[in-house]
Amino acid sequence: MKLKYYLFFILFTLTVISLSSCHNDDEIIPSGISNQSWQEGKAIEITQGKVLSVTFNAADKWTATTNSIWCSILTPSGEKGQSTLQLSTMTGTSTGRTSTITIKVNGYPTINFDVKQNIGEAPVSEDMTVNTKVAQYLRENYLWNDEYKTLSLDYTKSYEKFFYDALESMTTNTLDKKPYTGSDGKTYYSLFSYIDKRTPITATRATRLVDKELSYSFGITGLTLVSIGSSSSDYTIYFCVQGVYPDSPAAKAGIKRGAMISKINGEKISQSNLEHNYYSLMLPDAVLSLTLTEDIIEKGEKTGSKDTPLTSKAMYLNPVITSKVEEVEGHKIGYLVYSGFEASFDQELFDAFKKFKSQNVSDLILDLRYNGGGHTISANLIASCIAADASIDRTFTSLRYNKERMEKLNNKQEIELFAYPNHYKNLSTPLTEGGLGLQRVYCLVSNKTASASELVINSLRGIDVKVILIGEKTKGKNVGMEYKDYAVEGHIYRVAPITFQSYNAKGFGDYEKGFEPDNGLKIKETNPFNQEGMFYILKDYGTNEEPLYAKAVELITGKNPMKSAITRGAHSALKGQVRNVPALHRPGYDGMLKKYEEN
């Protein structure tokens, strides 16, 4: 009896399922889309230069396509749940036109709707064309593209405001958008990502991958801004020269590191004119003639002054500022001052390492204190030459991209190996002639040391080369940019957003707060003896009077060469205060740069 009821129950259930299936077959199969903001059979109007956003709820992942070239889909795919599809057009029309948009949800049939553009809209501006290209690049490659794709963008803005306003409005890009305190005490933000309308004077093929570009310059590598005096009403503002480029107008005029500039064209540097003077000295945009007044200061007292006429010129800025080998207490010490990872000067950089190897250096002091970064290939060149055989077939860096790009890589970070000893792709030469094979390197650093400089430090530590830091804590930039150039209306625009985070062979990449100098090696070059309210005039690179270099020599040899300099009174100390320099818009500075390559 129980068996009879059981069989009846099974038969009844199967009948219900069968009837239900037949009933569902008769129903319209859903599209996987609900709560859409468009109306079936009614075209939505799209306006040139504006973004059209439509919303819907998707039952699964989705993709969108268009049947026309004039209507661009800015968000071509999305995830399950509440979704926004953004469309734009950057061209006007003399006749009305319609585009059909097709959305396909995984496992469901497609659904279509139309958008139309009205007659007589004005031609698109150059900025709007650039903005469209840049936005698409950011949606695909920005490290925080998931938030970027949710932004409501105004394509009619200038290309700079379009780029910076959008990234500054975001909240998840904390490794790109850094806070700082302004002179008014308020908190502001700066971005590592940048966009630049490139106007090089001319370019020359110097290496296989990167051209050398001429730029107007006096040849001054950087300036420290100092107020000398005991009160706010009685002080002098100086530009203290950090260094000069070889064979530059400044070098030929005899201007040296530590020069104290008090006047420009006979006018004292003041609060009202310092920004203008600073930019004039650092970024002249044409041939410019100035007269610099340098105060001569000896043992803390001004003993005179001299005027130096100076004219900027179009020149190649060689970042190899100083390169020498010195024998001290039986040690062959190589010393390199490198101001930027400029891959177009990789031959000059490699020549320095070849010189070090030919003279059998036993120790290396690498001066990166003003080096804000640059091309990662040049960072690989330096690190590979330092480590030599210890770097063979080892990971130089591994890169983490945004979620979508990582999924394409099966969530495995992209690995770049040390270049040694193979043919270095930017020079088409093996690196063996410059391989030093050192187990330790002494790095001179400051809060200007950033990005590709920190990449060298981190990558060497990843393969257990001891990197000894002397100076101040580094800036802390563990993310890099893949730059891409766009040609629009005869101009070249370079966009360089943050697209990856870098890790070393040990998987360490969380150094966004910077690298601290080793114990007892924290030294401020402008106040090496920690005397409150004092400023020490900068001394020439690679001399016993220069405190960071002298400390490195002491660690190598066991003897401090600076003691005799102090005894001779070679240091000039003044009552004064170092001040923040104006923000220097120099694209590529603070960069860990790679050229974007399509997969």
Side-chain angles (χ1 to χ4, degrees), residues 324-334 359 362 549 557:
K324 71 170 187 173
V325 178
E326 184 177 17
E327 186 164 354
V328 183
E329 300 291 332
H331 293 261
K332 281 282 189 73
I333 302 174
Q359 297 190 38
S362 56
Y549 175 81
T557 65

Side-chain angles (χ1 to χ4, degrees), residues 106-118:
N106 287 353
Y108 295 86
T110 59
I111 187 171
N112 301 322
F113 66 91
D114 292 336
V115 294
K116 66 178 182 180
Q117 185 182 10
N118 293 329

Side-chain angles (χ1 to χ4, degrees), residues 256-315:
K256 296 183 178 181
R257 174 172 158 84
M260 297 288 283
I261 309 300
S262 61
K263 297 178 183 178
I264 309 291
N265 289 339
E267 182 182 13
K268 284 186 176 182
I269 299 171
S270 66
Q271 188 64 42
S272 61
N273 67 26
L274 70 85
E275 186 166 330
H276 169 75
N277 284 327
Y278 181 80
Y279 277 105
S280 295
L281 275 175
M282 293 303 302
L283 291 175
D285 56 7
V287 174
L288 177 66
S289 294
L290 300 174
T291 297
L292 309 186
T293 299
E294 177 186 351
D295 287 353
I296 310 302
I297 299 173
E298 298 176 352
K299 297 182 179 180
E301 298 291 335
K302 177 181 173 181
T303 59
S305 62
K306 65 177 182 178
D307 290 339
T308 302
L310 208 58
T311 299
S312 66
K313 71 173 186 177
M315 61 176 290

Side-chain angles (χ1 to χ4, degrees), residues 53-125:
S53 296
V54 294
T55 59
F56 57 93
N57 194 283
D60 206 326
K61 291 183 178 181
W62 57 270
T63 56
T65 56
T66 175
N67 68 344
S68 67
I69 60 173
W70 63 266
C71 182
S72 299
I73 297 181
L74 305 179
T75 50
S77 62
E79 301 293 323
K80 176 181 178 180
Q82 187 62 36
S83 301
T84 300
L85 175 63
Q86 294 185 326
L87 310 169
S88 75
T89 177
M90 289 296 121
T91 59
T93 177
S94 58
T95 59
R97 53 189 175 183
T98 302
S99 177
T100 299
I101 307 300
T102 300
I103 302 177
K104 176 70 169 68
V105 178
N106 287 353
Y108 295 86
T110 59
I111 187 171
N112 301 322
F113 66 91
D114 292 336
V115 294
K116 66 178 182 180
Q117 185 182 10
N118 293 329
I119 299 172
E121 292 186 344
V124 70
S125 70

Side-chain angles (χ1 to χ4, degrees), residues 578-597:
V578 176
R579 301 169 58 178
N580 291 330
V581 296
L584 182 61
H585 178 63
R586 184 170 60 188
Y589 190 79
D590 292 340
M592 191 190 298
L593 294 170
K594 291 165 54 69
K595 187 174 182 179
Y596 178 71
E597 297 178 2

Side-chain angles (χ1 to χ4, degrees), residues 393-404:
D393 295 329
R394 304 286 298 278
T395 294
F396 170 67
T397 184
S398 63
L399 308 178
R400 175 183 69 84
Y401 301 108
N402 63 40
K403 180 181 176 182
E404 292 169 10

